[in-house]
Amino acid sequence: MENKPSYFGEVAAGMKTLAVGLKTTLKEYFTPKSTEQYPENRKTTLHVAKRHRGRLVFKRNEDGTYKCTACTMCEKVCPNATIKVVSEMVTNEETGKKKRQLVDYRYDLGDCMFCQLCVNACNFDAIEFTNDFENSVFDREALVLHLDKEVYKGGSLPQLIDGGAPLEIGKFNTKTK
């Protein structure tokens, strides 16, 4: 047979649980609160981790050309088809060899799961996630990006790519402007 607690034992256990909950509630009630003033003070207080996945961008060579070879590995590995690669075969006049050339690289930021499978699958190190997170728009069509046609210059906040404002462990970033 099982050893069941008595009626009064269960009442005592319930009272103990209630006391623990009340103690936690009272402790949090009297703890001073701190609010980050996000839109106003974001240049001085906002800290974003460097490894945060905010949006996908093309990596560029020193001369400004992109590294993408239109191999479509990122498109194949994307679980919800947010990447569409359009390419065409071009014949090199000097050698006579055919080569795939990128026509359009369409990335739908609104449907992306930020899983980074596309970055891991890219054999040419052509794409990466940045920690730029301010992508809110009123029209979902504005979230469809053509990465081959845009040159990413960084986010709207200074030093965002480096993590933004310095993080103080154990303290809220609540400095004013």
Side-chain angles (χ1 to χ4, degrees), residues 15-133:
M15 295 299 282
K16 180 182 174 190
T17 304
L18 179 65
V20 168
L22 283 174
K23 176 184 162 191
T24 305
T25 303
L26 287 173
K27 184 176 89 173
E28 286 301 317
Y29 182 76
F30 291 109
T31 302
K33 305 299 183 266
S34 176
T35 303
E36 288 193 34
Q37 303 299 321
Y38 169 63
E40 295 85 19
N41 297 338
R42 68 179 185 229
K43 293 184 180 179
T44 58
T45 64
L46 183 66
H47 177 79
V48 180
K50 290 182 185 180
R51 64 180 182 229
H52 173 74
R53 299 177 194 154
R55 73 177 289 229
L56 193 68
V57 295
F58 262 3
K59 287 186 176 180
R60 302 277 177 166
N61 295 323
E62 290 81 23
D63 59 353
T65 60
Y66 46 81
K67 298 179 179 181
C68 183
T69 60
C71 68
T72 68
M73 285 301 295
C74 54
E75 180 181 11
K76 292 174 186 172
V77 77
C78 185
N80 55 348
T82 62
I83 297 174
K84 301 283 185 220
V85 178
V86 178
S87 63
E88 64 183 7
M89 295 302 284
V90 176
T91 305
N92 188 345
E93 295 175 4
E94 297 173 2
T95 61
K97 293 183 180 179
K98 289 187 176 183
K99 183 179 177 183
R100 187 182 307 254
Q101 185 176 7
L102 182 66
V103 175
D104 187 31
Y105 192 100
R106 181 182 169 273
Y107 166 64
D108 191 352
L109 180 64
D111 288 341
C112 185
M113 295 188 326
F114 307 101
C115 63
Q116 202 170 359
L117 290 174
C118 55
V119 175
N120 295 338
C122 183
N123 292 328
F124 301 98
D125 195 32
I127 53 177
E128 70 177 341
F129 273 101
T130 65
N131 58 358
D132 188 6
F133 66 94

